[in-house]
Amino acid sequence: MSSSIPGSRPLPSSRYDLSTYWGRVRHSMDLSDPSTLFVSSTGLSQAKDLIFQYKSGAKKEMNPDLWRAKKIIDSTLHPDTGQPVFLPFRMSCFVLSNLIVTAGMLQPGLKTAGILGWQITNQSLNVAINASNANKSSPLSYSGLAQSYAMAVTASCSVALGLNALVPRLKRVSPAVKATLGRLVPFAAVASAGALNVFLMRAEEMRQGIDVYPASSSSSGEEGGDTPKSLGKSKAAARIAVTETALSRVFNSTPIMVLPPLILARLQQQAWLKSRPRLVLPANLGLILTTSIFALPLALAVFPQREKVKAGRLEKEFWVAAGGEAVDVEFNRGV
């Protein structure tokens, strides 16, 4: 992110008020804007140079070009490493990366092989996104990564296959309700396994803790000119970060996995779609894309990425390091 660029002058963390939910929504819309995916390495270098000019004092005020440069950097670089996140796994590519996978999982009447294939594909993508965007102060080993991946795949496939077999056996439920429940099976599998995936992929953070820093002056104001010195690693902060990230994944998957299949089921009852079965797939993709575009920033904004908490919520050592229990400290939650 822009905090990784050298310079002594503080840089506004956002053009929006990050202490409010709707401010974070608008900020998240910038981070998830797919247009930043088309920025070349030259464009990224130019954006870095513009931010450096501001932080070194050569440019006196923020202007549209500087805000655009900050948007490019914040949506491209990892906040801990300062290195570009691999393009398919950036938040700005999240909607596009998940579109085909989600459409595959939401296909009506999938058989066992199809359910297994799409759940494995989805968890593989989740693992890659989680690993690419996680807090990097306590990275997961390759063996831990493989174990977490295997457990997440097992969980998602078990839930999907189990519910898929259970729904048809419900006796006191009408056929219409059974059909609706059948459409929601992928949601149950994705929501439960998605949350589990986050905990598994970031287990090392909870075991070792993540870096905690003195709080910046304002969540809507300035970033430090230089990266502040860590106050130490906190397991309590890691638990907060991982739990909030897992919840945000559930919040994101809920509308995407619930609304399109229910709307599509109603549309398939209409004569115009019954007579044009080839339009079912485009309609499904359109519903998923539209829902995803709105759902992602709304879900990302539920919790701040740079989470600020009272030192009293962390281990006692941070009460002393921060200067008191009531003093604010902050950490990178990850996404």
Side-chain angles (χ1 to χ4, degrees):
M1 297 180 78
S2 45
S3 58
S4 64
I5 299 191
S8 59
R9 186 185 181 193
L11 180 74
S13 55
S14 177
R15 71 176 80 188
Y16 311 111
D17 184 359
L18 299 184
S19 66
T20 68
Y21 174 68
W22 288 112
R24 293 196 298 273
V25 168
R26 298 178 72 184
H27 180 71
S28 297
M29 290 175 67
D30 276 354
L31 293 179
S32 58
D33 183 356
S35 69
T36 60
L37 298 173
F38 300 100
V39 175
S40 64
S41 58
T42 301
L44 179 60
S45 296
Q46 291 172 346
K48 288 181 178 181
D49 184 60
L50 280 173
I51 296 301
F52 174 75
Q53 290 180 44
Y54 179 89
K55 296 182 75 172
S56 62
K59 289 187 176 294
K60 303 302 181 183
E61 296 181 356
M62 293 296 290
N63 56 44
D65 288 338
L66 277 166
W67 283 122
R68 171 66 179 169
K70 187 177 187 305
K71 173 180 175 178
I72 291 170
I73 292 171
D74 288 350
S75 63
T76 304
L77 304 184
H78 191 282
D80 290 334
T81 66
Q83 298 299 313
V85 175
F86 187 47
L87 190 147
F89 308 141
R90 297 175 193 168
M91 283 298 106
S92 51
C93 197
F94 188 91
V95 170
L96 300 178
S97 297
N98 278 271
L99 179 60
I100 301 300
V101 176
T102 304
M105 289 188 294
L106 293 180
Q107 289 180 80
L110 276 179
K111 303 301 181 183
T112 300
I115 293 173
L116 289 174
W118 283 114
Q119 288 296 331
I120 290 171
T121 302
N122 181 58
Q123 290 308 314
S124 299
L125 181 59
N126 283 343
V127 164
I129 291 173
N130 289 340
S132 298
N133 294 281
N135 186 297
K136 298 298 185 182
S137 59
S138 296
L140 192 64
S141 65
Y142 287 115
S143 60
L145 186 67
Q147 292 173 5
S148 299
Y149 170 68
M151 292 175 68
V153 167
T154 301
S156 65
C157 291
S158 298
V159 171
L161 291 176
L163 292 178
N164 203 54
L166 176 64
V167 169
R169 297 179 183 178
L170 298 176
K171 296 180 179 180
R172 298 183 179 181
V173 176
S174 67
V177 173
K178 282 186 181 181
T180 299
L181 291 175
R183 300 253 182 171
L184 296 179
V185 165
F187 161 68
V190 168
S192 58
L196 176 63
N197 194 316
V198 174
F199 280 98
L200 292 172
M201 290 296 301
R202 300 178 63 177
E204 198 66 24
E205 294 177 33
M206 292 187 286
R207 283 193 291 267
Q208 296 187 18
I210 59 175
D211 285 319
V212 175
Y213 301 93
S216 57
S217 59
S218 170
S219 59
S220 62
E222 298 177 338
E223 296 177 352
D226 297 313
T227 302
K229 183 179 180 181
S230 171
L231 299 175
K233 290 184 182 291
S234 168
K235 295 180 182 179
R239 288 193 293 270
I240 295 170
V242 175
T243 300
E244 289 183 350
T245 301
L247 288 173
S248 71
R249 292 300 173 86
V250 174
F251 296 151
N252 182 57
S253 64
T254 298
I256 297 171
M257 301 300 293
V258 170
L259 294 179
L262 295 183
I263 295 174
L264 184 63
R266 296 295 298 270
L267 291 177
Q268 286 181 299
Q269 298 174 8
Q270 305 298 314
W272 67 270
L273 192 55
K274 284 183 178 180
S275 62
R276 299 174 179 85
R278 292 183 178 179
L279 294 181
V280 171
L281 180 58
N284 195 24
L285 289 173
L287 288 169
I288 294 169
L289 179 61
T290 302
T291 308
S292 299
I293 289 172
F294 289 100
L296 181 60
L298 293 174
L300 289 177
V302 173
F303 305 106
Q305 182 176 356
R306 197 74 180 177
E307 184 66 275
K308 183 181 294 185
V309 300
K310 299 295 182 184
R313 294 184 62 185
L314 309 182
E315 295 86 345
K316 288 187 178 181
E317 63 191 82
F318 292 97
W319 305 359
V320 177
E325 295 180 52
V327 176
D328 288 330
V329 293
E330 63 182 27
F331 50 87
N332 171 34
R333 174 177 63 83
V335 293

PDB file of all heavy atoms in Angstrom, residues 178-211:
ATOM      1  N   LYS A 178     -38.670 -27.975  -1.103  1.00  0.00           N
ATOM      2  CA  LYS A 178     -37.504 -28.826  -1.335  1.00  0.00           C
ATOM      3  C   LYS A 178     -36.633 -28.269  -2.459  1.00  0.00           C
ATOM      4  O   LYS A 178     -35.396 -28.265  -2.358  1.00  0.00           O
ATOM      5  CB  LYS A 178     -37.946 -30.245  -1.706  1.00  0.00           C
ATOM      6  CG  LYS A 178     -38.393 -31.096  -0.537  1.00  0.00           C
ATOM      7  CD  LYS A 178     -38.667 -32.519  -1.008  1.00  0.00           C
ATOM      8  CE  LYS A 178     -39.132 -33.393   0.149  1.00  0.00           C
ATOM      9  NZ  LYS A 178     -39.390 -34.783  -0.267  1.00  0.00           N
ATOM     10  N   ALA A 179     -37.276 -27.791  -3.499  1.00  0.00           N
ATOM     11  CA  ALA A 179     -36.525 -27.225  -4.625  1.00  0.00           C
ATOM     12  C   ALA A 179     -35.743 -25.983  -4.188  1.00  0.00           C
ATOM     13  O   ALA A 179     -34.583 -25.789  -4.569  1.00  0.00           O
ATOM     14  CB  ALA A 179     -37.464 -26.874  -5.764  1.00  0.00           C
ATOM     15  N   THR A 180     -36.403 -25.148  -3.358  1.00  0.00           N
ATOM     16  CA  THR A 180     -35.728 -23.948  -2.861  1.00  0.00           C
ATOM     17  C   THR A 180     -34.547 -24.306  -1.971  1.00  0.00           C
ATOM     18  O   THR A 180     -33.455 -23.740  -2.091  1.00  0.00           O
ATOM     19  CB  THR A 180     -36.727 -23.069  -2.071  1.00  0.00           C
ATOM     20  OG1 THR A 180     -37.792 -22.668  -2.941  1.00  0.00           O
ATOM     21  CG2 THR A 180     -36.031 -21.829  -1.527  1.00  0.00           C
ATOM     22  N   LEU A 181     -34.755 -25.265  -1.060  1.00  0.00           N
ATOM     23  CA  LEU A 181     -33.676 -25.698  -0.172  1.00  0.00           C
ATOM     24  C   LEU A 181     -32.517 -26.295  -0.971  1.00  0.00           C
ATOM     25  O   LEU A 181     -31.350 -26.094  -0.644  1.00  0.00           O
ATOM     26  CB  LEU A 181     -34.200 -26.719   0.842  1.00  0.00           C
ATOM     27  CG  LEU A 181     -35.172 -26.180   1.897  1.00  0.00           C
ATOM     28  CD1 LEU A 181     -35.700 -27.322   2.763  1.00  0.00           C
ATOM     29  CD2 LEU A 181     -34.495 -25.137   2.771  1.00  0.00           C
ATOM     30  N   GLY A 182     -32.866 -27.030  -2.021  1.00  0.00           N
ATOM     31  CA  GLY A 182     -31.829 -27.611  -2.869  1.00  0.00           C
ATOM     32  C   GLY A 182     -30.974 -26.554  -3.524  1.00  0.00           C
ATOM     33  O   GLY A 182     -29.755 -26.722  -3.687  1.00  0.00           O
ATOM     34  N   ARG A 183     -31.594 -25.434  -3.882  1.00  0.00           N
ATOM     35  CA  ARG A 183     -30.841 -24.331  -4.496  1.00  0.00           C
ATOM     36  C   ARG A 183     -29.915 -23.647  -3.495  1.00  0.00           C
ATOM     37  O   ARG A 183     -28.942 -22.993  -3.894  1.00  0.00           O
ATOM     38  CB  ARG A 183     -31.815 -23.294  -5.066  1.00  0.00           C
ATOM     39  CG  ARG A 183     -32.751 -23.828  -6.145  1.00  0.00           C
ATOM     40  CD  ARG A 183     -32.347 -23.312  -7.487  1.00  0.00           C
ATOM     41  NE  ARG A 183     -33.258 -23.761  -8.535  1.00  0.00           N
ATOM     42  CZ  ARG A 183     -33.221 -23.311  -9.780  1.00  0.00           C
ATOM     43  NH1 ARG A 183     -32.320 -22.405 -10.119  1.00  0.00           N
ATOM     44  NH2 ARG A 183     -34.052 -23.768 -10.688  1.00  0.00           N
ATOM     45  N   LEU A 184     -30.235 -23.775  -2.200  1.00  0.00           N
ATOM     46  CA  LEU A 184     -29.443 -23.101  -1.170  1.00  0.00           C
ATOM     47  C   LEU A 184     -28.331 -23.971  -0.593  1.00  0.00           C
ATOM     48  O   LEU A 184     -27.565 -23.516   0.250  1.00  0.00           O
ATOM     49  CB  LEU A 184     -30.365 -22.623  -0.036  1.00  0.00           C
ATOM     50  CG  LEU A 184     -31.399 -21.559  -0.427  1.00  0.00           C
ATOM     51  CD1 LEU A 184     -32.253 -21.183   0.768  1.00  0.00           C
ATOM     52  CD2 LEU A 184     -30.717 -20.321  -1.009  1.00  0.00           C
ATOM     53  N   VAL A 185     -28.259 -25.229  -1.016  1.00  0.00           N
ATOM     54  CA  VAL A 185     -27.203 -26.124  -0.520  1.00  0.00           C
ATOM     55  C   VAL A 185     -25.812 -25.551  -0.790  1.00  0.00           C
ATOM     56  O   VAL A 185     -24.945 -25.557   0.099  1.00  0.00           O
ATOM     57  CB  VAL A 185     -27.353 -27.537  -1.117  1.00  0.00           C
ATOM     58  CG1 VAL A 185     -26.079 -28.354  -0.912  1.00  0.00           C
ATOM     59  CG2 VAL A 185     -28.535 -28.260  -0.482  1.00  0.00           C
ATOM     60  N   PRO A 186     -25.531 -25.048  -2.002  1.00  0.00           N
ATOM     61  CA  PRO A 186     -24.193 -24.467  -2.230  1.00  0.00           C
ATOM     62  C   PRO A 186     -23.857 -23.340  -1.267  1.00  0.00           C
ATOM     63  O   PRO A 186     -22.703 -23.187  -0.862  1.00  0.00           O
ATOM     64  CB  PRO A 186     -24.266 -23.964  -3.676  1.00  0.00           C
ATOM     65  CG  PRO A 186     -25.315 -24.811  -4.316  1.00  0.00           C
ATOM     66  CD  PRO A 186     -26.343 -25.037  -3.245  1.00  0.00           C
ATOM     67  N   PHE A 187     -24.872 -22.526  -0.887  1.00  0.00           N
ATOM     68  CA  PHE A 187     -24.615 -21.443   0.058  1.00  0.00           C
ATOM     69  C   PHE A 187     -24.146 -21.985   1.399  1.00  0.00           C
ATOM     70  O   PHE A 187     -23.174 -21.483   1.975  1.00  0.00           O
ATOM     71  CB  PHE A 187     -25.877 -20.601   0.268  1.00  0.00           C
ATOM     72  CG  PHE A 187     -25.836 -19.779   1.529  1.00  0.00           C
ATOM     73  CD1 PHE A 187     -24.944 -18.732   1.654  1.00  0.00           C
ATOM     74  CD2 PHE A 187     -26.680 -20.073   2.593  1.00  0.00           C
ATOM     75  CE1 PHE A 187     -24.885 -17.988   2.821  1.00  0.00           C
ATOM     76  CE2 PHE A 187     -26.621 -19.339   3.761  1.00  0.00           C
ATOM     77  CZ  PHE A 187     -25.725 -18.285   3.871  1.00  0.00           C
ATOM     78  N   ALA A 188     -24.840 -23.007   1.918  1.00  0.00           N
ATOM     79  CA  ALA A 188     -24.449 -23.586   3.210  1.00  0.00           C
ATOM     80  C   ALA A 188     -23.024 -24.116   3.159  1.00  0.00           C
ATOM     81  O   ALA A 188     -22.237 -23.931   4.099  1.00  0.00           O
ATOM     82  CB  ALA A 188     -25.423 -24.697   3.605  1.00  0.00           C
ATOM     83  N   ALA A 189     -22.678 -24.771   2.058  1.00  0.00           N
ATOM     84  CA  ALA A 189     -21.327 -25.332   1.920  1.00  0.00           C
ATOM     85  C   ALA A 189     -20.284 -24.229   1.818  1.00  0.00           C
ATOM     86  O   ALA A 189     -19.229 -24.283   2.474  1.00  0.00           O
ATOM     87  CB  ALA A 189     -21.264 -26.238   0.698  1.00  0.00           C
ATOM     88  N   VAL A 190     -20.563 -23.224   1.006  1.00  0.00           N
ATOM     89  CA  VAL A 190     -19.593 -22.146   0.789  1.00  0.00           C
ATOM     90  C   VAL A 190     -19.422 -21.298   2.054  1.00  0.00           C
ATOM     91  O   VAL A 190     -18.300 -20.941   2.434  1.00  0.00           O
ATOM     92  CB  VAL A 190     -20.035 -21.261  -0.394  1.00  0.00           C
ATOM     93  CG1 VAL A 190     -19.219 -19.972  -0.449  1.00  0.00           C
ATOM     94  CG2 VAL A 190     -19.884 -22.036  -1.698  1.00  0.00           C
ATOM     95  N   ALA A 191     -20.540 -20.970   2.726  1.00  0.00           N
ATOM     96  CA  ALA A 191     -20.459 -20.128   3.919  1.00  0.00           C
ATOM     97  C   ALA A 191     -19.693 -20.813   5.040  1.00  0.00           C
ATOM     98  O   ALA A 191     -18.799 -20.221   5.665  1.00  0.00           O
ATOM     99  CB  ALA A 191     -21.859 -19.754   4.385  1.00  0.00           C
ATOM    100  N   SER A 192     -20.023 -22.071   5.307  1.00  0.00           N
ATOM    101  CA  SER A 192     -19.359 -22.786   6.402  1.00  0.00           C
ATOM    102  C   SER A 192     -17.893 -23.064   6.075  1.00  0.00           C
ATOM    103  O   SER A 192     -16.998 -22.818   6.895  1.00  0.00           O
ATOM    104  CB  SER A 192     -20.093 -24.096   6.704  1.00  0.00           C
ATOM    105  OG  SER A 192     -20.156 -24.919   5.542  1.00  0.00           O
ATOM    106  N   ALA A 193     -17.636 -23.564   4.878  1.00  0.00           N
ATOM    107  CA  ALA A 193     -16.252 -23.884   4.508  1.00  0.00           C
ATOM    108  C   ALA A 193     -15.431 -22.616   4.293  1.00  0.00           C
ATOM    109  O   ALA A 193     -14.228 -22.609   4.560  1.00  0.00           O
ATOM    110  CB  ALA A 193     -16.234 -24.739   3.248  1.00  0.00           C
ATOM    111  N   GLY A 194     -16.062 -21.559   3.803  1.00  0.00           N
ATOM    112  CA  GLY A 194     -15.334 -20.310   3.591  1.00  0.00           C
ATOM    113  C   GLY A 194     -14.822 -19.731   4.898  1.00  0.00           C
ATOM    114  O   GLY A 194     -13.676 -19.274   4.984  1.00  0.00           O
ATOM    115  N   ALA A 195     -15.690 -19.741   5.939  1.00  0.00           N
ATOM    116  CA  ALA A 195     -15.257 -19.253   7.247  1.00  0.00           C
ATOM    117  C   ALA A 195     -14.174 -20.156   7.821  1.00  0.00           C
ATOM    118  O   ALA A 195     -13.164 -19.687   8.353  1.00  0.00           O
ATOM    119  CB  ALA A 195     -16.449 -19.184   8.198  1.00  0.00           C
ATOM    120  N   LEU A 196     -14.379 -21.483   7.697  1.00  0.00           N
ATOM    121  CA  LEU A 196     -13.377 -22.428   8.192  1.00  0.00           C
ATOM    122  C   LEU A 196     -12.044 -22.240   7.468  1.00  0.00           C
ATOM    123  O   LEU A 196     -10.968 -22.312   8.075  1.00  0.00           O
ATOM    124  CB  LEU A 196     -13.882 -23.857   8.010  1.00  0.00           C
ATOM    125  CG  LEU A 196     -12.906 -24.983   8.389  1.00  0.00           C
ATOM    126  CD1 LEU A 196     -12.572 -24.918   9.877  1.00  0.00           C
ATOM    127  CD2 LEU A 196     -13.495 -26.348   8.026  1.00  0.00           C
ATOM    128  N   ASN A 197     -12.126 -21.982   6.168  1.00  0.00           N
ATOM    129  CA  ASN A 197     -10.927 -21.785   5.355  1.00  0.00           C
ATOM    130  C   ASN A 197     -10.066 -20.646   5.900  1.00  0.00           C
ATOM    131  O   ASN A 197      -8.849 -20.743   5.988  1.00  0.00           O
ATOM    132  CB  ASN A 197     -11.343 -21.496   3.904  1.00  0.00           C
ATOM    133  CG  ASN A 197     -10.189 -21.616   2.930  1.00  0.00           C
ATOM    134  OD1 ASN A 197      -9.104 -21.151   3.182  1.00  0.00           O
ATOM    135  ND2 ASN A 197     -10.458 -22.238   1.803  1.00  0.00           N
ATOM    136  N   VAL A 198     -10.721 -19.543   6.275  1.00  0.00           N
ATOM    137  CA  VAL A 198      -9.986 -18.394   6.804  1.00  0.00           C
ATOM    138  C   VAL A 198      -9.259 -18.772   8.091  1.00  0.00           C
ATOM    139  O   VAL A 198      -8.082 -18.459   8.284  1.00  0.00           O
ATOM    140  CB  VAL A 198     -10.933 -17.203   7.054  1.00  0.00           C
ATOM    141  CG1 VAL A 198     -10.190 -16.059   7.742  1.00  0.00           C
ATOM    142  CG2 VAL A 198     -11.531 -16.711   5.744  1.00  0.00           C
ATOM    143  N   PHE A 199      -9.959 -19.478   8.993  1.00  0.00           N
ATOM    144  CA  PHE A 199      -9.337 -19.869  10.262  1.00  0.00           C
ATOM    145  C   PHE A 199      -8.172 -20.838  10.032  1.00  0.00           C
ATOM    146  O   PHE A 199      -7.129 -20.734  10.683  1.00  0.00           O
ATOM    147  CB  PHE A 199     -10.373 -20.521  11.179  1.00  0.00           C
ATOM    148  CG  PHE A 199     -11.246 -19.530  11.900  1.00  0.00           C
ATOM    149  CD1 PHE A 199     -12.503 -19.219  11.425  1.00  0.00           C
ATOM    150  CD2 PHE A 199     -10.792 -18.894  13.047  1.00  0.00           C
ATOM    151  CE1 PHE A 199     -13.308 -18.295  12.084  1.00  0.00           C
ATOM    152  CE2 PHE A 199     -11.583 -17.971  13.712  1.00  0.00           C
ATOM    153  CZ  PHE A 199     -12.846 -17.665  13.240  1.00  0.00           C
ATOM    154  N   LEU A 200      -8.356 -21.767   9.102  1.00  0.00           N
ATOM    155  CA  LEU A 200      -7.297 -22.739   8.836  1.00  0.00           C
ATOM    156  C   LEU A 200      -6.087 -22.080   8.179  1.00  0.00           C
ATOM    157  O   LEU A 200      -4.942 -22.336   8.539  1.00  0.00           O
ATOM    158  CB  LEU A 200      -7.832 -23.861   7.941  1.00  0.00           C
ATOM    159  CG  LEU A 200      -8.873 -24.787   8.569  1.00  0.00           C
ATOM    160  CD1 LEU A 200      -9.455 -25.715   7.512  1.00  0.00           C
ATOM    161  CD2 LEU A 200      -8.271 -25.599   9.702  1.00  0.00           C
ATOM    162  N   MET A 201      -6.362 -21.231   7.186  1.00  0.00           N
ATOM    163  CA  MET A 201      -5.278 -20.609   6.439  1.00  0.00           C
ATOM    164  C   MET A 201      -4.473 -19.631   7.298  1.00  0.00           C
ATOM    165  O   MET A 201      -3.306 -19.369   7.022  1.00  0.00           O
ATOM    166  CB  MET A 201      -5.833 -19.879   5.219  1.00  0.00           C
ATOM    167  CG  MET A 201      -6.374 -20.800   4.135  1.00  0.00           C
ATOM    168  SD  MET A 201      -5.087 -21.812   3.426  1.00  0.00           S
ATOM    169  CE  MET A 201      -3.989 -20.568   2.826  1.00  0.00           C
ATOM    170  N   ARG A 202      -5.114 -19.091   8.315  1.00  0.00           N
ATOM    171  CA  ARG A 202      -4.450 -18.078   9.123  1.00  0.00           C
ATOM    172  C   ARG A 202      -4.222 -18.552  10.561  1.00  0.00           C
ATOM    173  O   ARG A 202      -4.078 -17.748  11.480  1.00  0.00           O
ATOM    174  CB  ARG A 202      -5.265 -16.782   9.077  1.00  0.00           C
ATOM    175  CG  ARG A 202      -5.391 -16.251   7.643  1.00  0.00           C
ATOM    176  CD  ARG A 202      -6.229 -14.999   7.538  1.00  0.00           C
ATOM    177  NE  ARG A 202      -5.649 -13.889   8.268  1.00  0.00           N
ATOM    178  CZ  ARG A 202      -6.175 -12.668   8.284  1.00  0.00           C
ATOM    179  NH1 ARG A 202      -7.247 -12.407   7.571  1.00  0.00           N
ATOM    180  NH2 ARG A 202      -5.615 -11.709   9.004  1.00  0.00           N
ATOM    181  N   ALA A 203      -4.176 -19.894  10.721  1.00  0.00           N
ATOM    182  CA  ALA A 203      -3.960 -20.462  12.052  1.00  0.00           C
ATOM    183  C   ALA A 203      -2.622 -20.053  12.640  1.00  0.00           C
ATOM    184  O   ALA A 203      -2.490 -19.862  13.860  1.00  0.00           O
ATOM    185  CB  ALA A 203      -4.065 -21.984  11.980  1.00  0.00           C
ATOM    186  N   GLU A 204      -1.616 -19.899  11.777  1.00  0.00           N
ATOM    187  CA  GLU A 204      -0.285 -19.529  12.263  1.00  0.00           C
ATOM    188  C   GLU A 204      -0.302 -18.146  12.894  1.00  0.00           C
ATOM    189  O   GLU A 204       0.431 -17.881  13.858  1.00  0.00           O
ATOM    190  CB  GLU A 204       0.717 -19.586  11.109  1.00  0.00           C
ATOM    191  CG  GLU A 204       2.167 -19.657  11.548  1.00  0.00           C
ATOM    192  CD  GLU A 204       2.506 -20.937  12.277  1.00  0.00           C
ATOM    193  OE1 GLU A 204       1.794 -21.954  12.078  1.00  0.00           O
ATOM    194  OE2 GLU A 204       3.469 -20.920  13.053  1.00  0.00           O
ATOM    195  N   GLU A 205      -1.130 -17.263  12.366  1.00  0.00           N
ATOM    196  CA  GLU A 205      -1.252 -15.936  12.951  1.00  0.00           C
ATOM    197  C   GLU A 205      -1.766 -16.029  14.384  1.00  0.00           C
ATOM    198  O   GLU A 205      -1.285 -15.324  15.282  1.00  0.00           O
ATOM    199  CB  GLU A 205      -2.207 -15.070  12.121  1.00  0.00           C
ATOM    200  CG  GLU A 205      -1.708 -14.743  10.725  1.00  0.00           C
ATOM    201  CD  GLU A 205      -2.719 -13.936   9.932  1.00  0.00           C
ATOM    202  OE1 GLU A 205      -3.446 -13.139  10.556  1.00  0.00           O
ATOM    203  OE2 GLU A 205      -2.796 -14.100   8.698  1.00  0.00           O
ATOM    204  N   MET A 206      -2.758 -16.900  14.603  1.00  0.00           N
ATOM    205  CA  MET A 206      -3.333 -17.028  15.947  1.00  0.00           C
ATOM    206  C   MET A 206      -2.377 -17.734  16.896  1.00  0.00           C
ATOM    207  O   MET A 206      -2.436 -17.531  18.112  1.00  0.00           O
ATOM    208  CB  MET A 206      -4.680 -17.757  15.873  1.00  0.00           C
ATOM    209  CG  MET A 206      -5.752 -16.942  15.167  1.00  0.00           C
ATOM    210  SD  MET A 206      -7.393 -17.679  15.233  1.00  0.00           S
ATOM    211  CE  MET A 206      -7.193 -19.022  14.054  1.00  0.00           C
ATOM    212  N   ARG A 207      -1.493 -18.571  16.364  1.00  0.00           N
ATOM    213  CA  ARG A 207      -0.510 -19.239  17.217  1.00  0.00           C
ATOM    214  C   ARG A 207       0.644 -18.320  17.593  1.00  0.00           C
ATOM    215  O   ARG A 207       1.130 -18.336  18.718  1.00  0.00           O
ATOM    216  CB  ARG A 207       0.037 -20.493  16.521  1.00  0.00           C
ATOM    217  CG  ARG A 207      -0.906 -21.681  16.544  1.00  0.00           C
ATOM    218  CD  ARG A 207      -0.194 -22.961  16.129  1.00  0.00           C
ATOM    219  NE  ARG A 207       0.165 -22.957  14.713  1.00  0.00           N
ATOM    220  CZ  ARG A 207      -0.611 -23.475  13.762  1.00  0.00           C
ATOM    221  NH1 ARG A 207      -1.770 -24.015  14.086  1.00  0.00           N
ATOM    222  NH2 ARG A 207      -0.228 -23.449  12.502  1.00  0.00           N
ATOM    223  N   GLN A 208       1.095 -17.507  16.631  1.00  0.00           N
ATOM    224  CA  GLN A 208       2.267 -16.658  16.866  1.00  0.00           C
ATOM    225  C   GLN A 208       1.911 -15.206  17.188  1.00  0.00           C
ATOM    226  O   GLN A 208       2.705 -14.491  17.803  1.00  0.00           O
ATOM    227  CB  GLN A 208       3.185 -16.680  15.641  1.00  0.00           C
ATOM    228  CG  GLN A 208       3.792 -18.039  15.343  1.00  0.00           C
ATOM    229  CD  GLN A 208       4.817 -17.949  14.220  1.00  0.00           C
ATOM    230  OE1 GLN A 208       5.321 -16.882  13.890  1.00  0.00           O
ATOM    231  NE2 GLN A 208       5.130 -19.081  13.611  1.00  0.00           N
ATOM    232  N   GLY A 209       0.733 -14.778  16.768  1.00  0.00           N
ATOM    233  CA  GLY A 209       0.356 -13.386  16.924  1.00  0.00           C
ATOM    234  C   GLY A 209       0.712 -12.563  15.694  1.00  0.00           C
ATOM    235  O   GLY A 209       1.472 -13.010  14.826  1.00  0.00           O
ATOM    236  N   ILE A 210       0.165 -11.364  15.595  1.00  0.00           N
ATOM    237  CA  ILE A 210       0.459 -10.457  14.492  1.00  0.00           C
ATOM    238  C   ILE A 210       0.952  -9.126  15.057  1.00  0.00           C
ATOM    239  O   ILE A 210       0.715  -8.789  16.221  1.00  0.00           O
ATOM    240  CB  ILE A 210      -0.775 -10.207  13.594  1.00  0.00           C
ATOM    241  CG1 ILE A 210      -1.939  -9.607  14.401  1.00  0.00           C
ATOM    242  CG2 ILE A 210      -1.214 -11.493  12.916  1.00  0.00           C
ATOM    243  CD1 ILE A 210      -3.146  -9.235  13.562  1.00  0.00           C
ATOM    244  N   ASP A 211       1.645  -8.369  14.221  1.00  0.00           N
ATOM    245  CA  ASP A 211       2.228  -7.109  14.667  1.00  0.00           C
ATOM    246  C   ASP A 211       1.148  -6.084  15.010  1.00  0.00           C
ATOM    247  O   ASP A 211       0.172  -5.908  14.271  1.00  0.00           O
ATOM    248  CB  ASP A 211       3.136  -6.533  13.577  1.00  0.00           C
ATOM    249  CG  ASP A 211       4.465  -7.280  13.485  1.00  0.00           C
ATOM    250  OD1 ASP A 211       5.020  -7.601  14.557  1.00  0.00           O
ATOM    251  OD2 ASP A 211       4.928  -7.559  12.368  1.00  0.00           O
TER     252      ASP A 211
END
